[in-house]
Amino acid sequence: MEFKRRGAIVIAAIAAAAWTAPAQAVARIELRTAAQQASAPKFVHADHGVAGLCIDIYRAIEKTDPLLRITGDQRWRPLLRLEAELRGGALDIGCGLIRSREREADLVYADPALFSVSYHLVARADDPVEIQSWDDVRGLGDKGVILAIHGFGQVTRLREMGGLSVDAGAVDAGTNLRKLVAGRGRFYYHRSPGIAAEIHKAGLEGKVRVLPVMMDSQRFFMVLGRHVPGATLARLKRALAQLDASGELKRLAGKWYEAAALEAPSRR
């Protein structure tokens, strides 16, 4: 009887090992990324490193699908370098990029959209100009130069609209705002939320004003390099769909939109 009992235990142990082995053998899928510079509230500097909306989305993805592991989000990259590394295979995913024909040619978009933002023009505080539409800007001719950040997706969109004079020589919001105050452009184009914090950071409150008319609204997506396997893309899409259906993407966006809106006044 003792021999039979021990034999049954051994058989049960072998069966348990056979059942758990496949699960243990499944390797976690690493998705390499980087934090995009000058993109608050997507990525923001924090005492403990990099924080922001996209960092929270990354952690939510990992919680939804524990096999997905997103690494590198504490390293900063300018947008153009981030895109180049996605195309070249050094990075796998990037968070929060708008659609453009150029990107769609060699990057993959993962639906659903992560969040959406509005875009506004900023003018000098002493400039009485009033804008209701892009036609108003076009009507200003060479006196309606729009400053924008070099390499950002909105630059391509502005140029595709036609008839607009765009200066995208600066690489950050602060430089563009200072150019605006110095008269080296009529407007600066930036997203909301985010613009109030950038104005405060540049120390230009009272010297510039955000025009009230929303000039555009864009959805932002997770993008992947074309080298990422289709099965991995499918897993990522499923995780994002679950986060969207549960309302978690909307909740995270609301959290960081509110933080961006409160950031400037809270530092006064």
Side-chain angles (χ1 to χ4, degrees):
M1 291 293 294
E2 180 65 21
F3 176 80
K4 290 182 178 180
R5 188 179 69 82
R6 290 182 179 179
I9 292 174
V10 170
I11 292 171
I14 292 172
W19 177 260
T20 58
Q24 294 173 343
V26 176
R28 297 186 73 181
I29 302 168
E30 181 182 6
L31 291 170
R32 300 162 297 169
T33 191
Q36 180 188 331
Q37 293 176 354
S39 65
K42 291 195 306 183
F43 298 98
V44 300
H45 291 275
D47 292 339
H48 62 277
V50 184
L53 172 55
C54 282
I55 298 295
D56 283 359
I57 290 174
Y58 287 153
R59 300 293 84 82
I61 290 170
E62 292 172 332
K63 184 177 180 181
T64 302
D65 186 340
L67 284 185
L68 296 178
R69 180 170 179 264
I70 301 171
T71 63
D73 56 28
Q74 297 298 298
R75 301 173 301 176
W76 292 98
R77 293 285 190 277
L79 178 58
L80 290 180
R81 181 178 172 189
L82 189 151
E83 288 190 53
E85 292 185 358
L86 285 171
R87 293 182 174 101
L91 296 180
D92 302 312
I93 64 171
C95 177
L97 274 66
I98 65 171
R99 288 189 182 275
S100 70
R101 288 197 294 266
E102 181 181 357
R103 286 173 179 161
E104 287 183 313
D106 47 21
L107 295 175
V108 178
Y109 285 79
D111 292 315
L114 304 176
F115 55 89
S116 61
V117 302
S118 60
Y119 284 85
H120 294 259
L121 292 168
V122 183
R124 289 182 295 278
D126 60 359
D127 186 344
V129 66
E130 296 294 338
I131 298 297
Q132 299 299 323
S133 69
W134 287 116
D135 284 339
D136 293 339
V137 180
R138 292 185 183 95
L140 295 171
D142 59 5
K143 294 182 179 180
V145 174
I146 304 166
L147 303 171
I149 296 177
H150 179 67
F152 275 41
Q154 279 298 305
V155 175
T156 300
R157 182 165 175 81
L158 288 172
R159 288 175 172 155
E160 288 175 349
M161 289 180 186
L164 300 173
S165 180
V166 181
D167 175 353
V171 297
D172 57 61
T175 301
N176 274 320
L177 287 166
R178 288 187 289 273
K179 287 173 67 174
L180 177 66
V181 171
R184 296 169 58 192
R186 189 70 178 272
F187 307 104
Y188 171 51
Y189 194 54
H190 200 89
R191 65 188 171 276
S192 178
I195 185 56
E198 293 292 352
I199 291 171
H200 177 78
K201 183 179 176 182
L204 296 176
E205 290 162 310
K207 295 184 178 180
V208 299
R209 62 188 180 97
V210 180
L211 302 187
V213 175
M214 183 178 71
M215 303 302 291
D216 196 10
S217 177
Q218 284 290 315
R219 296 187 301 163
F220 285 69
F221 296 83
M222 195 75 74
V223 298
L224 299 86
R226 290 194 175 275
H227 62 279
V228 176
T232 301
L233 172 62
R235 295 191 78 99
L236 181 62
K237 284 184 173 181
R238 282 197 297 270
L240 291 175
Q242 291 179 42
L243 292 171
D244 185 46
S246 69
E248 183 64 4
L249 289 179
K250 184 177 181 180
R251 186 191 72 80
L252 292 175
K255 165 190 169 182
W256 284 98
Y257 287 8
E258 181 179 3
L262 295 175
E263 180 179 1
S266 68
R267 294 183 181 177
R268 290 174 184 169

